Amino acid sequence: MAWIYLFVAGLLEIGWAFSMKRSEGFTLLGPTLLTFILMIGSFGLLSLAMRSLPLGTAYTIWTGIGAVGAFAVGILVLGEAANPMRLIAAGLIVGGLVLMKTAG
């Protein structure tokens, strides 16, 4: 169950990063409130996952899901650049996540 909590926490991290971008520096109420709600959910699920997963593994996987997910949302939804170096960097992060999961 800890891995499910961790995965959903990572998805919520992607959501709060996107809503933070949409909040325009916390000047728009709706996206600002959504950001904080998603943050609380993400941190809460991360804390549940950390009950049984090692700190380093849980935190690395959580931030990795958030980082790569936010990167993908930036490209797919916000039209950010998808140049080869950025794609390679994201691929390296995913590779690190796979190694972290299989090592633990």
Side-chain angles (χ1 to χ4, degrees):
M1 197 69 183
W3 286 105
I4 294 169
Y5 291 149
L6 187 59
F7 180 73
V8 175
L11 294 178
L12 292 177
E13 186 181 4
I14 297 165
W16 70 251
F18 179 70
S19 63
M20 183 185 294
K21 175 72 172 171
R22 291 290 190 198
S23 78
E24 296 184 21
F26 299 125
T27 61
L28 299 176
L29 182 61
T32 297
L33 292 175
L34 183 59
T35 298
F36 289 115
I37 290 167
L38 294 173
M39 280 180 170
I40 291 166
S42 182
F43 286 125
L45 290 172
L46 175 62
S47 73
L48 291 176
M50 284 183 170
R51 288 181 177 175
S52 60
L53 296 175
L55 167 68
T57 299
Y59 189 74
T60 301
I61 298 292
W62 178 70
T63 57
I65 291 170
V68 173
F71 171 74
V73 168
I75 291 170
L76 298 172
V77 178
L78 301 175
E80 295 176 358
N83 63 51
M85 291 297 278
R86 293 184 81 212
L87 294 171
I88 290 169
L92 289 170
I93 293 170
V94 171
L97 295 176
V98 170
L99 286 173
M100 186 65 73
K101 169 71 170 96
T102 58

